[in-house]
Amino acid sequence: MIDFFPFKKTIPFMSWGKATTAISLLTFLFSVWALWDRGLNLGVDFTGGTVIEVRYDQPANLPAIRSTLEKTGLPEVTVLSFGTSHDVLIRLPVRSDANAAQTSNRVMAALAAADAGVVLKRVDFVGPQVGKELYDSGALALLVVSFGIMAYLAIRFEWRFAVAGMLANLHDIVIILGVFAFFRWEFTLTVLAGVLAVLGYSVNESVVIFDRIRENIRKMRGATIPHIIDDAITRTMSRTIITHGSTQIMVLSMLFFGGEALHNFALALTIGIMFGIYSSGLVASPLLLMFGIKREHFIKPVVKKEEAVV
């Protein structure tokens, strides 16, 4: 394998273990506080509401459309570019004083008064019960994926690796949710898809480092466990820079050029990738030391049989 970013000296990551663990704990607690105090700003997908798709005969002016709808007094209107620059998606939360037909008529009347070239393409209504079912299904999917990853790591490596890897992954997920809660960014089904993608993406990095640690334990017989882990992280850094750098460029292109429909999805991936790199090396690995990983867990002692006396 070509090493584009060679590191000649082993970087002593484990000597910073206490500092990185403290930073991770503070960040984790901050995210938990944000989730508890502010909560997630759930989108129409989970809370229910009306979704209206319209089309203009010229490129849509999203700020002008938002301004027009805000003047009607409709609360929490979300206006997104959908597909082409001529298509617009409008989301509104559930209203007790009006049904979907009344809401869509009110929206179309305001839009037609501002621009006669607007055409209604579809109106969908998501009820509160359906939204709750989607929320519960999303939480169940997150739980099932987490337990599946832990089982995979336990079978492939050892239970200490499984627990360390899962705690590192949950660290990433809680931080993503905490950031969304703190800044009150809308949490939708696309964001949930991004969170699930981060789970798989982050565990892939952990598996690469864990595999190198297991290999080093068998090869570096005279080295200490902290030095073995330091060498494993250092030797995989070239691959980490190339892989995550390429992925991050793609995600950032979606974030800046993908429009509002992909913005929060790409935002969740961006946060997850950054913390995934950090947690795989500087959260999961120190946890292995805390759990007391030893050579005996991978190298079985050789028992010499006594020769029979003739």
Side-chain angles (χ1 to χ4, degrees):
M1 184 180 68
I2 300 176
D3 198 359
F4 289 101
F5 302 94
F7 293 88
K8 297 181 180 179
K9 294 184 178 180
T10 300
I11 304 173
F13 290 104
M14 293 303 99
S15 63
W16 311 329
K18 292 182 179 179
T20 56
T21 302
I23 293 172
S24 300
L25 182 59
L26 290 175
T27 310
F28 183 86
L29 292 176
F30 170 79
S31 300
V32 171
W33 167 82
L35 286 168
W36 173 77
D37 185 64
R38 300 196 175 195
L40 290 172
N41 180 22
L42 298 177
V44 175
D45 299 335
F46 298 119
T47 60
T50 304
V51 178
I52 304 171
E53 184 181 346
V54 298
R55 182 176 179 81
Y56 286 83
D57 54 7
Q58 57 187 358
N61 187 344
L62 298 184
I65 295 173
R66 290 193 191 94
S67 178
T68 299
L69 295 178
E70 286 172 0
K71 293 177 182 177
T72 63
L74 294 170
E76 301 180 22
V77 179
T78 302
V79 180
L80 304 172
S81 178
F82 184 74
T84 68
S85 59
H86 295 260
D87 298 310
V88 176
L89 193 69
I90 301 170
R91 293 176 178 172
L92 301 102
V94 174
R95 299 185 61 200
S96 58
D97 59 339
N99 55 33
Q102 293 172 335
T103 302
S104 62
N105 290 337
R106 185 174 174 182
V107 168
M108 289 306 300
L111 295 179
D115 189 336
V118 63
V119 177
L120 177 65
K121 295 188 67 176
R122 68 181 175 96
V123 178
D124 292 330
F125 176 73
V126 180
Q129 183 62 33
V130 175
K132 185 179 183 303
E133 290 177 2
L134 289 174
Y135 182 82
D136 293 340
S137 299
L140 180 62
L142 194 60
L143 189 64
V144 170
V145 170
S146 299
F147 277 109
I149 290 174
M150 182 176 286
Y152 164 74
L153 291 175
I155 293 172
R156 176 165 180 178
F157 297 99
E158 203 244 357
W159 72 264
R160 293 172 179 82
F161 286 87
V163 176
M166 201 62 253
L167 288 177
N169 284 356
L170 290 179
H171 163 273
D172 302 339
I173 300 307
V174 171
I175 287 178
I176 294 173
L177 298 178
V179 170
F180 268 78
F182 181 77
F183 290 104
R184 303 300 296 162
W185 293 331
E186 188 179 30
F187 190 85
T188 61
L189 278 175
T190 56
V191 177
L192 177 61
V195 172
L196 293 174
V198 167
L199 262 178
Y201 189 86
S202 182
V203 75
N204 177 66
E205 182 65 22
S206 299
V207 167
V208 171
I209 296 176
F210 287 170
D211 205 35
R212 182 58 68 94
I213 291 173
R214 183 173 59 179
E215 181 183 343
N216 283 355
I217 287 176
R218 293 167 178 165
K219 290 171 55 179
M220 303 170 64
R221 295 299 180 93
T224 62
I225 294 297
H227 181 71
I228 286 173
I229 296 176
D230 289 338
D231 182 82
I233 299 174
T234 303
R235 298 296 164 253
T236 56
M237 281 187 66
S238 177
R239 174 231 173 240
T240 299
I241 294 172
I242 296 171
T243 304
H244 292 281
S246 302
T247 308
Q248 193 66 61
I249 291 173
M250 180 271 294
V251 172
L252 288 175
S253 66
M254 287 195 299
L255 180 65
F256 293 115
F257 307 110
E260 293 192 42
L262 292 175
H263 184 268
N264 283 358
F265 170 74
L267 198 57
L269 286 178
T270 300
I271 299 170
I273 290 173
M274 289 191 298
F275 278 97
I277 299 171
Y278 168 80
S279 67
S280 297
L282 301 180
V283 175
S285 298
L287 286 174
L288 288 177
L289 292 179
M290 291 175 60
F291 294 152
I293 182 176
K294 297 179 181 178
R295 294 179 181 275
E296 291 76 12
H297 299 145
F298 298 92
I299 303 176
K300 295 181 179 180
V302 179
V303 180
K304 296 182 179 179
K305 295 181 179 181
E306 296 182 358
E307 296 180 1
V309 178
V310 180

